[in-house]
Amino acid sequence: MDAHHLHSVHTIFSPAVPTILVPASALLAIAFGVWLWWRVSFIKVGNGHHGLRTENGREYLLEEEQRGEDEIVQKVADLQDAISEGANSFLITEYKYMGVFMAIMSVVIFVLLSSQDGFSRDWVVDDKGHRTAPAIYNGAFSTIAFLLGAVTSILSGYLGMKIAVYANARTSLEARKGIAPAFMCAFRSGAVMGFLLAGNGLLVVFLTIMVYKKVFGDDWHGLYEAITGYGLGGSSIALFGRVGGGIYTKAADVGADLVGKIEKDIPEDDPRNPATIADNVGDNVGDIAGMGADLFGSFAESTCAALVISSVSTLGTEHVYVAMCYPLLISAVGILVCLLTTLIATDLKPARGINDIQSTLKWQLVIATVLATPAVLAVSLCALPKEFSGIFTEEKERVVKNWHLFFCVCTGLWGGLIIGLVTEYYTSNAFQPVQDVADSCKTGAATDIIFGLALGYKSAIIPCIVIAVCIFVSFTLAHMFGIACSALGMLTTLSSGLAIDAYGPISDNAGGIAEMAAMGEDIRERTDALDAAGNTTAAIGKGFAIGSAALVSLALFGAYVVQADITVRDSSILDPEVFSGLLIGAMLPYWFSAMTMKSVGKAALAMVEEVRRQFATISGLMEGTARPDYRRCVEISTAASLSEMIPPGCLVMLTPVVVGVLFGTRTLAGVLAGALVSGVQMAVSMSNTGSAWDNAKKYVEVGTMLLTHLVLWVY
């Protein structure tokens, strides 16, 4: 090995730096999350008495019948218990289904990977004396990594749900003191989820790599190929968690609003509405647990993609340990930056008034992105050799410089911020697009639908351009490794992104509890202001998830093309097999959306019928002297979502297998590319349309309330 080559794989950081920094950052994130949880726990809920207060067997629900501080606090505690019970019941049942899926997939993964060399247990020694692990090692340890990824994803979603239902009632109670205490409670609780997820995800993958190094020895390619099971496990659970939770929350939401608000003309989250508990449960299992699993899946996939791609370069072949830890170091410094940024919103400069909420949340992303940029530069220059090669599959000798990777990560980092700001513009009622949607309601629902759909389609333009720029720059500088690092860059601020995303459903639940506990209009106005900002932050979180998923999907697609030995000539769209695959792939997101939307419709129909039945048969329900059967509505949403999530999940999981077996690798390449291209626009437009409609509704309601107050004042 010549002097130049020795210099090319030298790094400024010693091996001790990633060995200490990565787990230390992960443990610090977990400790910080626990500390924030501890601070939230100082807000007391309930007086030790459990169960609904009754008199003569009837529940008193209306505002004028609430008496005293203790009774309101106890009512809030009872509602929190009901929401927590419903969310727990759904997730535990859902995880049982997932357990069966994990067991089946584990067997499939082990058999498929281990059978490549006839289940041989003998290590292979090549001409250079390098030992390569047998396929059974790849099968066994890929299966273990798959299970670890799945369990970590489940844990991330479940912990997020637990802190959300822990914080919703506390946020309602804090809203009596003002905007600032309520905001700090909701945001701190959201940050708990963000840091626990980021810390757990990073720590588990790091420890897995350390253990696998002992098993695989010098076979680093085999090691990192086995690690990819971690990403598959995370993304598989995210698929079912997102679909199941989404069906649950939307079915309950539609059922509650159609009958309660439209037919019975009672306020949103009124305790007389039988579906209101199910609606609030849905916020936690869909927008908290589902989103947590979703973003964890993106993090795991992008990390694994970067690791397996770099393992075939000189970084892997020359066993440059520090450089191979580069993806983990990026995530580690991202945690440290987000920790400092979070303290600004929770302690140094929290939102003091209604007008401060949106800007405080937005500055979280801006400050985190600005601070992360020099940190990424330092890691890129110190953890990577000045030059290395083997990244470009068709130009193995092409040199990649360490500062190239800095630009790859930064395109994702700043691209994520731009997507977030554009999402805010199109979904916040402080800006013209949402105000136009609200104004279109003057002529009826039809024009409102037209304006909302147009807003969603238009909102996809800039995010798609941003993703395209990220792909072009990253691919030009560092091929598929650059794209995977760009996806990691977009997730560098994962902790802050998840914090502001989880803040939304917590605030939404707080508003619902305030309404059900009859805490008064002034409290509801404060929680509505928190919730309106939360709708926008939830859309921003979805934007990050979509953007990072698009980038990591392309990186994984590149890995597939390499493994399948598909050249540029083979993958031309002029090839009839590839073009046919493109059309089929572009259709798949529409098929998937149709299945999930119909599932929501069927579940919502059952919910509407049940709510109508209760209003018609339960005497005294509209008068507030009888308690609705909340449990029945929770059971309807749970049963519908669990049964309806299976067909869409099977569509996603089985399509590549069926196409690959029946039509070959080139057609499958077209299917994967087509699904990626059409799915991004659909995801962005549908997410932003929904958030815009929601905030337009709140914009109209706030305007109506202000007008009513003005008329009463003049009168």
Side-chain angles (χ1 to χ4, degrees), residues 206-367:
F206 176 79
L207 293 178
T208 305
I209 291 173
M210 292 299 102
V211 172
Y212 280 19
K213 280 183 67 179
K214 302 292 185 182
V215 176
F216 283 87
D218 292 336
D219 184 14
W220 280 28
H221 178 62
L223 185 162
Y224 290 107
E225 193 171 319
I227 288 292
T228 55
Y230 186 75
L232 178 62
S235 58
S236 299
I237 296 303
L239 168 65
F240 290 103
R242 208 70 167 105
V243 173
I247 293 172
Y248 186 111
T249 185
K250 294 311 171 188
D253 199 2
V254 171
D257 286 353
L258 278 179
V259 181
K261 295 180 70 175
I262 306 300
E263 296 182 7
K264 297 298 181 181
D265 196 27
I266 58 178
E268 186 174 359
D269 296 314
D270 192 290
R272 292 169 290 180
N273 192 329
T276 191
I277 292 293
D279 187 10
N280 284 279
V281 170
D283 293 332
N284 294 290
V285 300
D287 296 335
I288 293 286
M291 174 57 79
D294 191 1
L295 281 171
F296 170 77
S298 294
F299 162 77
E301 283 183 326
S302 56
T303 302
C304 293
L307 289 171
V308 75
I309 292 172
S310 60
S311 69
V312 298
S313 70
T314 53
L315 302 180
T317 57
E318 300 296 333
H319 292 185
V320 189
Y321 168 71
V322 177
M324 288 300 299
C325 289
Y326 177 72
L328 306 182
L329 287 168
I330 292 295
S331 299
V333 297
I335 287 174
L336 299 178
V337 166
C338 290
L339 192 151
L340 295 175
T341 309
T342 301
L343 289 174
I344 296 175
T346 58
D347 294 270
L348 301 179
K349 195 179 178 183
R352 299 294 180 186
I354 290 176
N355 294 330
D356 297 335
I357 299 172
Q358 192 71 56
S359 60
T360 301
L361 294 171
K362 178 171 67 177
W363 278 103
Q364 280 289 293
L365 288 178
V366 174
I367 294 172

Side-chain angles (χ1 to χ4, degrees), residues 440-464:
S440 70
C441 296
K442 293 177 181 178
T443 52
T447 47
D448 179 38
I449 293 172
I450 292 170
F451 270 72
L453 290 173
L455 179 148
Y457 296 149
K458 190 175 181 181
S459 71
I461 296 172
I462 295 179
C464 287

Side-chain angles (χ1 to χ4, degrees), residues 63-127:
E63 181 173 356
E64 61 268 23
E65 293 172 314
Q66 300 296 322
R67 294 290 184 264
E69 172 77 6
D70 289 343
E71 186 163 353
I72 290 177
V73 172
Q74 187 56 48
K75 179 66 178 176
V76 168
D78 292 336
L79 292 166
Q80 181 191 42
D81 289 343
I83 295 170
S84 178
E85 180 186 349
N88 264 310
S89 174
F90 171 78
L91 287 181
I92 290 173
T93 308
E94 182 183 47
Y95 293 154
K96 289 178 181 177
Y97 280 75
M98 291 181 180
V100 175
F101 165 77
M102 288 162 57
I104 295 172
M105 280 297 294
S106 296
V107 174
V108 171
I109 291 170
F110 177 75
V111 172
L112 287 179
L113 295 180
S114 300
S115 61
Q116 291 180 351
D117 60 0
F119 295 94
S120 171
R121 298 182 183 181
D122 299 326
W123 286 66
V124 178
V125 181
D126 62 17
D127 297 337

Side-chain angles (χ1 to χ4, degrees), residues 335-531:
I335 287 174
L336 299 178
V337 166
C338 290
L339 192 151
L340 295 175
T341 309
T342 301
L343 289 174
I344 296 175
T346 58
D347 294 270
L348 301 179
K349 195 179 178 183
R352 299 294 180 186
I354 290 176
N355 294 330
D356 297 335
I357 299 172
Q358 192 71 56
S359 60
T360 301
L361 294 171
K362 178 171 67 177
W363 278 103
Q364 280 289 293
L365 288 178
V366 174
I367 294 172
T369 301
V370 171
L371 293 180
T373 302
V376 169
L377 176 62
V379 170
S380 300
L381 296 179
C382 297
L384 292 172
K386 288 185 177 180
E387 295 179 349
F388 57 96
S389 59
I391 293 294
F392 290 83
T393 54
E394 296 182 5
E395 301 177 70
K396 292 290 187 182
E397 300 303 317
R398 183 169 171 180
V399 171
V400 176
K401 300 180 183 296
N402 52 14
W403 58 267
H404 288 177
L405 272 300
F406 163 70
F407 280 105
C408 293
V409 174
C410 278
T411 54
L413 177 65
W414 284 90
L417 176 63
I418 294 171
I419 291 174
L421 296 178
V422 170
T423 302
E424 180 197 25
Y425 174 74
Y426 280 103
T427 59
S428 171
N429 55 26
F431 299 103
Q432 194 65 42
V434 172
Q435 294 173 12
D436 288 342
V437 173
D439 190 59
S440 70
C441 296
K442 293 177 181 178
T443 52
T447 47
D448 179 38
I449 293 172
I450 292 170
F451 270 72
L453 290 173
L455 179 148
Y457 296 149
K458 190 175 181 181
S459 71
I461 296 172
I462 295 179
C464 287
I465 293 173
V466 169
I467 294 172
V469 170
C470 291
I471 291 171
F472 180 81
V473 172
S474 302
F475 189 88
T476 302
L477 292 176
H479 208 253
M480 288 299 173
F481 183 51
I483 292 175
C485 288
S486 184
L488 269 177
M490 198 169 285
L491 294 171
T492 301
T493 55
L494 174 64
S495 302
S496 293
L498 262 174
I500 67 172
D501 186 64
Y503 156 88
I506 292 172
S507 300
D508 193 1
N509 262 211
I513 290 173
E515 179 70 38
M516 286 186 280
M519 296 174 71
E521 280 192 18
D522 54 339
I523 306 302
R524 182 69 206 210
E525 287 177 17
R526 291 171 186 169
T527 57
D528 278 349
L530 294 170
D531 183 27

